[in-house]
Amino acid sequence: MRYQELSYWLSNVDEPLSPRPALPGDADADVVIVGAGYTGLWTAYYLAEADPTLRITVLEKEIAGYGASGRNGGWCSALFPTSLPALARRHGRDRALAMQRAMQETVREVGRVVAAEGIDCDWQPGGTVVLARTEAQLGRARAAVEEAREYGLSDEDLVLLDAAEATARCAADGVRGGTYTPHCAAVHPARLVRGLARAVERRGVTIFERTPVTAVRSGAAVTPAGVVRAPVVVRATEGFTSTLPGQRRAVAPVYSLMVATEPLPEETWARIGLAERETFSDYRHVIIYGQRTADGRLAFGGRGAPYHFGSRTAPGYDREPRVFAALRRVLGELFPVLGPDVPVTHSWGGPLGVARDWAASVGLDRASGLGWAGGYVGDGVGTSNLAGRTLADLIRGAESELTALPWVNHRSPRWEPEPLRWLAVNAGLRLMFSADEAELRSNRPSRRAAAFSRLLGH
Ligand SMILES: Cc1cc2nc3c(=O)[nH]c(=O)nc-3n(C[C@H](O)[C@H](O)[C@H](O)COP(=O)(O)OP(=O)(O)OC[C@H]3O[C@@H](n4cnc5c(N)ncnc54)[C@H](O)[C@@H]3O)c2cc1C
């Protein structure tokens, strides 16, 4: 496989992406981690930091960063897939706020490690601007700020922008206002995950690549080459989780797709803005996200690719010409300065993981020694760091502020069996698209998206 072709980011790393050695045969470890994305590697990083004597083995079916971690939008944000009100309803206001603050702290923590380990990943803490380009979107921008205020968050966390302020940050077409939060950094995702893999190796962790795990059970991870026995086994497989026996209905893989433009000339950037490399989005229902890359491209993505029956994942599923065309069209609508033929040079995608209740979780079952983290939806760049720190505490039996957070040991219900899962997820995706189209036509908020949220229960 040519790993460079998996994303613009993986084509733009200063290394050949040659796989590390595979597992040669049976082995013993203190902790075995399945998956070398951010979740697996952050867990290894903090475990090795806390206890350098631990024998930690990471098993990866392809190479470090093969999954979403090497392909994402590069927003290291404080976003968490469960909203503050939903967290407060389930766990109380204080614990919901603690979760929010922990996420904000996480952005700073990733920045700290990036600097400390010398990971060259274009880290730029420029915040996020979310634009409002219709009356309905403006309503949602105001509601987001009001909600933040109700939870005691200030202008320092999320501020409402008028049309001029929003345009000054990101001069998209027809901007009526928006919001800005400083709690986000733009990052080159593949350089982050590849640099992290080297950092954990420097701390004595062993990573075996091209080593697919065929079963995870108490005390062992099984591969065709041999069995790694360890009292703790961590599943860090996110969008690929459904391929493990017994996990088919745990996490649904939903594909997010991206495009990148060629490097844009300075005069184009002078008209678009994003001078601080703010990550950007707008208040439509079907998520879109973008960043100005360090080499002057627009990297831009969105959902909308279909969910595949049986939670299947396959390389071809991240190439949907219809979605790439839509992304290109939306990019041209946002920034007419790009011209009628938006100069896209790269198109790719990858699977992210969605739990049935849309709740990310991290946990360790003490009896079996099985740990897990994931269900981050589109917010895993930051959240996986918090997961790694939390798993390190849980595995060492250390009680901490992190292990008291409300997502710890949360058990999401399983997804419905097929064909219900397929019908529900794809109907939901269609509902979101039609809600956005209806809003554009009528310029009024659509009730269809709220119905979708209820359908998913988040
Ligand atoms: C296109 C796209 C854009 C995104 N944009 C953003 C964003 O801007 N901000 C944000 O916060 N989040 C974003 N996300 C989500 C984010 O990338 C993920 O939540 C995060 O990378 C998950 O990390 P992970 O380590 O849990 O999973 P992954 O990175 O998917 O890693 C899982 C690893 O496990 C390996 N694996 C799977 N099965 C096995 C097995 N049986 N044996 C051995 N190894 C196995 C895989 O090969 C893979 O390397 C995006 C996702 C996508 C796809």
Side-chain angles (χ1 to χ4, degrees):
M1 179 178 300
R2 286 185 48 78
Y3 296 116
Q4 286 82 354
E5 290 171 8
L6 287 171
S7 68
Y8 161 66
W9 311 113
L10 284 164
S11 77
N12 178 248
V13 289
D14 299 326
E15 51 167 325
L17 299 180
S18 321
R20 295 172 168 84
L23 179 74
D26 291 345
D28 290 308
D30 295 313
V31 180
V32 59
I33 296 170
V34 183
Y38 301 135
T39 301
L41 294 171
W42 281 125
T43 305
Y45 181 83
Y46 288 106
L47 266 176
E49 181 180 63
D51 184 351
T53 66
L54 280 177
R55 295 167 306 155
I56 304 165
T57 297
V58 180
L59 303 176
E60 164 56 50
K61 74 177 161 110
E62 297 288 349
I63 59 165
Y66 167 82
S69 301
R71 315 188 201 181
N72 61 73
W75 288 37
C76 184
S77 74
L79 295 170
F80 189 70
T82 316
S83 67
L84 262 174
L87 275 175
R89 272 196 306 277
R90 281 182 210 158
H91 305 283
R93 186 187 158 88
D94 288 352
R95 295 185 76 209
L97 262 176
M99 190 73 222
Q100 181 64 41
R101 291 293 181 207
M103 286 302 305
Q104 294 173 353
E105 177 53 34
T106 294
V107 180
R108 290 188 282 275
E109 169 64 9
V110 176
R112 184 192 69 76
V113 178
V114 160
E117 297 292 341
I119 299 176
D120 177 14
C121 61
D122 302 332
W123 180 262
Q124 173 63 38
T128 300
V129 57
V130 183
L131 304 169
R133 298 172 60 242
T134 62
E135 204 45 45
Q137 291 186 12
L138 202 50
R140 285 197 282 279
R142 290 196 194 103
V145 174
E146 271 165 32
E147 184 182 289
R149 293 296 168 278
E150 278 165 30
Y151 284 87
L153 302 179
S154 72
D155 270 7
E156 304 290 301
D157 298 303
L158 187 71
V159 65
L160 193 64
L161 306 177
D162 63 21
E165 290 164 331
T167 306
R169 289 204 176 267
C170 181
D173 193 44
V175 171
R176 299 182 181 204
T179 57
Y180 175 76
T181 171
H183 300 298
C184 185
V187 64
H188 186 309
R191 289 179 185 224
L192 174 61
V193 69
R194 301 291 301 174
L196 196 53
R198 288 191 294 273
V200 304
E201 285 179 316
R202 285 197 295 275
R203 285 168 188 260
V205 173
T206 308
I207 303 174
F208 292 113
E209 295 187 332
R210 295 245 177 115
T211 302
V213 171
T214 51
V216 165
R217 57 173 190 245
S218 180
V222 181
T223 82
V227 176
V228 181
R229 283 178 219 291
V232 175
V233 184
V234 175
R235 162 171 72 68
T237 47
E238 191 60 337
F240 305 92
T241 301
S242 62
T243 58
L244 287 168
Q247 302 288 336
R248 181 157 277 236
R249 287 161 55 196
V251 185
V254 170
Y255 279 81
S256 197
L257 269 50
M258 295 196 68
V259 295
T261 66
E262 65 189 22
L264 303 174
E266 266 317 308
E267 53 273 23
T268 304
W269 281 118
R271 292 179 59 189
I272 292 176
L274 300 173
E276 294 168 24
R277 289 188 54 220
E278 299 92 330
T279 52
F280 68 94
S281 177
D282 71 14
Y283 275 99
R284 77 185 69 201
H285 294 295
V286 178
I287 306 246
I288 57 161
Y289 49 90
Q291 72 150 289
R292 174 179 181 168
T293 66
D295 63 350
R297 299 167 190 264
L298 270 167
F300 184 69
R303 310 254 171 88
Y307 161 81
H308 294 272
F309 197 87
S311 289
R312 276 193 296 267
T313 57
Y317 295 170
D318 47 37
R319 309 274 147 160
E320 281 279 342
R322 185 181 51 79
V323 180
F324 291 141
L327 288 172
R328 201 169 171 183
R329 179 175 48 73
V330 174
L331 203 48
E333 283 165 13
L334 286 170
F335 305 113
V337 62
L338 296 175
D341 198 17
V342 176
V344 164
T345 53
H346 296 75
S347 312
W348 72 95
L352 42 84
V354 185
R356 176 60 181 88
D357 56 0
W358 219 261
S361 64
V362 56
L364 176 70
D365 180 74
R366 294 217 169 277
S368 64
L370 291 173
W372 78 92
Y376 312 122
V377 193
D379 301 329
V381 178
T383 317
S384 57
N385 171 276
L386 186 60
R389 283 186 282 146
T390 308
L391 271 169
D393 284 353
L394 290 171
I395 291 167
R396 291 180 309 110
E399 283 188 16
S400 66
E401 277 179 14
L402 300 185
T403 61
L405 289 171
W407 70 321
V408 176
N409 286 327
H410 170 79
R411 302 276 186 171
S412 296
R414 288 152 75 79
W415 280 93
E416 288 78 0
E418 299 292 17
L420 285 179
R421 195 172 355 146
W422 182 85
L423 285 169
V425 179
N426 284 327
L429 288 171
R430 272 197 300 280
L431 205 59
M432 299 289 247
F433 273 116
S434 67
D436 281 329
E437 279 164 16
E439 282 190 0
L440 274 177
R441 278 196 305 275
S442 69
N443 204 22
R444 280 208 311 274
S446 155
R447 295 211 190 92
R448 294 180 205 177
F452 174 62
S453 294
R454 280 199 297 279
L455 180 81
L456 286 163
H458 86 290

